[in-house]
Amino acid sequence: MTHDGRRLRGLRSREAILEQAVGLASVEGLDGLSLGRLAAATGTSKSGFFAHWRDKEQLQLDAVDWAARQWAERVIAPAMAAPAGVRRLFALHEARLGFYGEGVLPGGCFFFAVQAEFDDRPGPVHDRVARAMREWQEFIRRQVAQAVAQGELAESVDAAQLAYEIDALGEMVVVHSRLHGGPDSLVHARRAVLQRLRALCPDPTLLPED
Amino acid sequence: MTHDGRRLRGLRSREAILEQAVGLASVEGLDGLSLGRLAAATGTSKSGFFAHWRDKEQLQLDAVDWAARQWAERVIAPAMAAPAGVRRLFALHEARLGFYGEGVLPGGCFFFAVQAEFDDRPGPVHDRVARAMREWQEFIRRQVAQAVAQGELAESVDAAQLAYEIDALGEMVVVHSRLHGGPDSLVHARRAVLQRLRALCPDPTLLPED
DNA sequence: CAGATATACAAACGATCGGTCGTTAATGTA
DNA sequence: TACATTAACGACCGATCGTTTGTATATCTG
């Protein structure tokens, strides 16, 4: 029952498979991704998956968790280095845009693809995705509320309202940039949130001018 | 070669099939939608499709066109009733939110589902969707530019920038409302654009207060 | 060492996928 | 009336889907 070599090897390939699965799912979705192609991409056999997961749905659920962890490490964590308040809020937005712009995932954003796929399909995957998105939205809202409490945003700011705006402006970068090619949407998304925050911030010098 | 009864009957069922296809695709996507289920939903046979379309891709392309026509009739046309300028711009946004809120399509928005599906997959369907989305974005941009020209928006407004914001804030309603249930996102999306326009409009009385 | 456990595989399963073929019935044209 | 065209169909095709089964091998436990 202890951490021995067998389990370690199992965990390694499990992680490698999940990383591939999240990358592929960011392009084709969690359902569009077939076990056959995932097997080919990972260099393993289809049937080998069932040593790690009972069925495809279990793999999908673990993929959601893996993507959420990746998001926490590559977007949230770097932004937490910025001082709390409006600067951290904008750092969060920029970290997200950086995640998209660097092409960490071949499809841009795992959660965008999966949201569009499962927003109408009830089931465990829908629930898990909804929870992850709710936590993300709630996290942004808390950062807004903290900035208000610190006096870095006007007291009239509705935290849930501003959180929706920041999230929407950031999320739509994925499809706009991929569908129309250019990096225009990255610039638009960055500037939209920056100017919005500057307008609401009593001390705009906390934020870059452009 | 004239418009006779045969062709009329063909066109009728063709339209009925496309309407069903667009509705189903708004839920499961254009590829997730299978010909078998589409046949069951329309009460016809799979093989009957191939009298109207050479293959599935042709049906997908026609579905995109059909959805674009529906969008023009149910969103753009009503908004054109409003006087040109900032009022028409906001009417456009409200017409879109109404389209989503009324549940015209079971999946909320055909183009949202299809964008997420095809933004990374090159091919004719990708190109057709990209063109439709580019035209829509361009249409918003022209409405912004006209409002600026009429003096109903500040001259400093970057039309493409504001168009991106309006579109992003409207589009993300689909997934937010469906994933988290409540109509909060509809309120947030409406208020976000309304306050943004009011802030940029020299005569805010043109727009409702809330 | 023996026995249990876990990783991974090839082969095959029934179901469903997009698509083809040949046919029927209805509607048009000559 | 004779012939061409069209919508629509049932039956079937090879491929692929998610999944099951049985097996071989490597690792840990006793």
Side-chain angles (χ1 to χ4, degrees):
Chain A
M1 231 14 120
T2 57
H3 270 243
D4 52 33
R6 285 178 303 177
R7 309 222 154 181
L8 189 63
R9 189 159 66 98
L11 282 179
R12 268 195 220 285
S13 55
R14 201 189 99 105
E15 286 296 300
I17 290 173
L18 283 177
E19 181 173 358
Q20 273 285 339
V22 168
L24 288 177
S26 74
V27 177
E28 332 203 33
L30 270 176
D31 240 31
L33 162 66
S34 83
L35 296 186
R37 260 173 299 161
L38 183 55
T42 55
T44 63
S45 70
K46 270 200 312 178
S47 50
F49 292 147
F50 296 90
H52 298 281
W53 297 278
R54 194 176 341 117
D55 52 24
K56 189 181 181 181
E57 190 176 83
Q58 289 297 320
L59 188 148
Q60 291 175 327
L61 291 172
D62 282 352
V64 175
D65 289 344
W66 197 94
R69 222 164 47 234
Q70 182 190 45
W71 189 258
E73 290 169 6
R74 315 237 355 189
V75 176
I76 296 181
M80 294 303 279
V86 77
R87 281 166 295 188
R88 177 176 294 171
L89 205 45
F90 187 60
L92 195 62
H93 185 62
E94 281 204 301
R96 163 190 231 158
L97 298 185
F99 183 86
Y100 297 156
E102 291 168 17
V104 179
L105 291 178
C109 184
F110 170 87
F111 285 103
F112 181 79
V114 170
Q115 271 182 327
E117 215 181 356
F118 284 93
D119 61 347
D120 288 311
R121 251 182 287 179
V125 180
H126 170 282
D127 297 346
R128 185 83 54 117
V129 172
R131 200 188 61 192
M133 290 298 92
R134 194 151 38 233
E135 286 172 0
W136 162 245
Q137 187 87 12
E138 185 60 25
F139 175 75
I140 303 178
R141 203 193 58 74
R142 276 200 309 273
Q143 304 306 313
V144 173
Q146 181 164 18
V148 173
Q150 290 178 221
E152 290 187 8
L153 283 179
E155 285 198 15
S156 59
V157 166
D158 178 335
Q161 169 76 35
L162 185 55
Y164 172 84
E165 296 176 22
I166 294 175
D167 188 37
L169 290 167
E171 183 108 69
M172 284 306 292
V173 163
V174 182
V175 63
H176 270 86
S177 65
R178 289 180 178 265
L179 218 51
H180 314 126
D184 286 4
S185 51
L186 268 169
V187 175
H188 290 153
R190 183 179 182 279
R191 190 158 45 171
V193 170
L194 178 58
Q195 298 307 330
R196 185 99 178 91
L197 290 180
R198 282 178 65 94
L200 295 169
C201 187
D203 180 13
T205 63
L206 291 174
L207 296 167
E209 283 195 21
D210 192 50
Chain B
M1 230 15 120
T2 58
H3 270 243
D4 52 35
R6 288 178 301 177
R7 308 221 153 177
L8 188 64
R9 190 159 67 98
L11 281 179
R12 270 194 219 285
S13 55
R14 202 189 98 106
E15 285 295 300
I17 290 172
L18 282 177
E19 181 174 358
Q20 273 285 336
V22 168
L24 287 177
S26 73
V27 177
E28 333 202 32
L30 269 176
D31 240 30
L33 162 66
S34 83
L35 296 185
R37 261 174 298 162
L38 183 55
T42 55
T44 63
S45 71
K46 266 199 321 176
S47 50
F49 292 147
F50 297 92
H52 298 281
W53 296 278
R54 194 176 341 118
D55 52 23
K56 190 182 181 180
E57 190 175 84
Q58 289 298 321
L59 187 147
Q60 292 175 326
L61 290 172
D62 281 351
V64 174
D65 289 343
W66 196 94
R69 222 164 47 233
Q70 181 191 46
W71 189 259
E73 289 169 7
R74 315 237 356 188
V75 176
I76 296 180
M80 294 303 279
V86 77
R87 283 165 294 186
R88 177 176 294 172
L89 205 45
F90 187 59
L92 197 62
H93 186 60
E94 281 203 301
R96 163 189 229 158
L97 299 184
F99 183 86
Y100 296 155
E102 290 168 19
V104 178
L105 292 178
C109 186
F110 171 87
F111 286 102
F112 181 79
V114 171
Q115 269 181 327
E117 215 181 355
F118 284 93
D119 61 348
D120 288 309
R121 250 182 286 179
V125 180
H126 170 282
D127 297 344
R128 184 84 54 116
V129 172
R131 200 187 59 191
M133 291 298 92
R134 193 151 40 232
E135 287 172 359
W136 162 246
Q137 188 87 11
E138 185 60 25
F139 175 75
I140 303 178
R141 203 193 59 73
R142 275 200 309 272
Q143 304 307 313
V144 173
Q146 180 164 18
V148 173
Q150 290 179 224
E152 291 187 6
L153 283 178
E155 284 200 14
S156 60
V157 165
D158 178 334
Q161 170 76 34
L162 185 55
Y164 172 84
E165 297 176 20
I166 294 174
D167 188 38
L169 292 166
E171 183 109 66
M172 284 305 293
V173 163
V174 182
V175 63
H176 270 85
S177 66
R178 291 182 175 264
L179 218 52
H180 315 125
D184 286 5
S185 51
L186 268 168
V187 175
H188 290 152
R190 183 179 183 279
R191 191 158 43 173
V193 170
L194 178 57
Q195 299 306 330
R196 186 99 179 88
L197 290 180
R198 283 178 65 93
L200 295 170
C201 187
D203 179 13
T205 64
L206 291 174
L207 297 167
E209 283 196 18
D210 193 50

